[in-house]
Amino acid sequence: AQSVTQLGSHVSVSEGALVLLRCNYSSSVPPYLFWYVQYPNQGLQLLLKYTSAATLVKGINGFEAEFKKSETSFHLTKPSAHMSDAAEYFCAVSDSAGGTSYGKLTFGQGTILTVHP
Amino acid sequence: KAGVTQTPRYLIKTRGQQVTLSCSPISGHRSVSWYQQTPGQGLQFLFEYFSETQRNKGNFPGRFSGRQFSNSRSEMNVSTLELGDSALYLCASSSQGLGNTIYFGEGSWLTVV
């Protein structure tokens, strides 16, 4: 079974500082990895995804993530935090084993990002 | 094009009742998945439908069920509601193919009293 671990349920940064949200996965097959953001009282919005095309993935709103197979990691970064980045972030892995599932994701527990002025 | 649409957005039910939630996927998407989100358990996969067939099911009791119609619209039903069923229920849709983007709706907030 696949699993995702997000280190740190809460991360606090100052506006303009580097954002680093950590995600480690466990998968027996090459994974598809996703980062989603959730603003209060809203659904999930895709930030970026890794599907083996390139190890450094650029997403929306200045976020990017690097897939490191040797470390089984897919950490999310943004060089300079903005107040509007305050939200909850979820790392997820797609259960592609057997090729029968298109919509099943296993999520991490989420990381709440707080941005201080 | 329109995103994933879920109805109703908010609802309150009494313990023991049943509830039906509806989801309209993005046009052309034939895969619809449902997730439950709670503060304690996080985001958990309920089930996935593709072309009216259930392809995967999460670890939930039989009180949770779903179906998909020929137009890809989906419903999920929870019978004999319990207080612990209070949650945000998210619907997601995707096109056929592994690694395709999975798009989420705004969710249906269910409160069981």
Side-chain angles (χ1 to χ4, degrees), chain A residues 62-116:
Chain A
F63 285 95
E64 63 181 36
E66 186 173 8
F67 173 73
K68 292 187 177 180
K69 184 178 179 180
S70 61
E71 299 177 7
T72 60
S73 68
F74 190 56
H75 302 329
L76 182 71
T77 60
K78 182 174 181 178
S80 177
H82 191 271
M83 297 294 288
S84 61
D85 294 327
E88 188 163 16
Y89 292 79
F90 293 93
C91 182
V93 61
S94 175
D95 189 343
S96 59
T100 61
S101 175
Y102 306 134
K104 181 182 178 183
L105 292 172
T106 300
F107 284 90
Q109 284 299 101
T111 298
I112 296 173
L113 175 66
T114 303
V115 182
H116 297 287

Side-chain angles (χ1 to χ4, degrees), chain A residues 18-33:
Chain A
L18 171 71
V19 175
L20 171 60
L21 305 182
R22 300 177 186 274
C23 171
N24 288 89
Y25 68 91
S26 170
S27 174
S28 58
V29 298
Y32 299 106
L33 295 160

Side-chain angles (χ1 to χ4, degrees), chain B residues 51-62:
Chain B
S51 293
E52 302 179 65
T53 301
Q54 187 179 87
R55 296 176 71 106
N56 282 287
K57 190 176 191 304
N59 188 26
F60 279 83

Side-chain angles (χ1 to χ4, degrees), chain B residues 14-92:
Chain B
T14 303
R15 192 171 47 183
Q17 288 185 315
Q18 74 166 10
V19 66
T20 298
L21 308 177
S22 180
C23 173
S24 293
I26 291 172
S27 178
H29 286 185
R30 292 161 62 192
S31 170
V32 174
S33 303
W34 289 89
Y35 292 80
Q36 181 196 64
Q37 185 177 23
T38 59
Q41 299 299 316
L43 281 154
Q44 293 186 288
F45 171 79
L46 279 159
F47 29 66
E48 176 189 9
Y49 287 86
F50 182 81
S51 293
E52 302 179 65
T53 301
Q54 187 179 87
R55 296 176 71 106
N56 282 287
K57 190 176 191 304
N59 188 26
F60 279 83
R63 299 185 297 106
F64 291 81
S65 63
R67 59 178 176 169
Q68 186 180 34
F69 302 96
S70 58
N71 62 359
S72 293
R73 192 177 67 84
S74 177
E75 291 181 346
M76 68 162 283
N77 183 276
V78 187
S79 62
T80 319
L81 284 166
E82 300 176 359
L83 296 179
D85 297 332
S86 295
L88 176 64
Y89 291 89
L90 291 164
C91 173

Side-chain angles (χ1 to χ4, degrees), chain A residues 40-51:
Chain A
N41 301 318
Q42 294 188 23
L44 300 175
Q45 180 183 7
L46 180 72
L47 282 174
L48 49 80
K49 68 176 182 179
Y50 167 76
T51 58

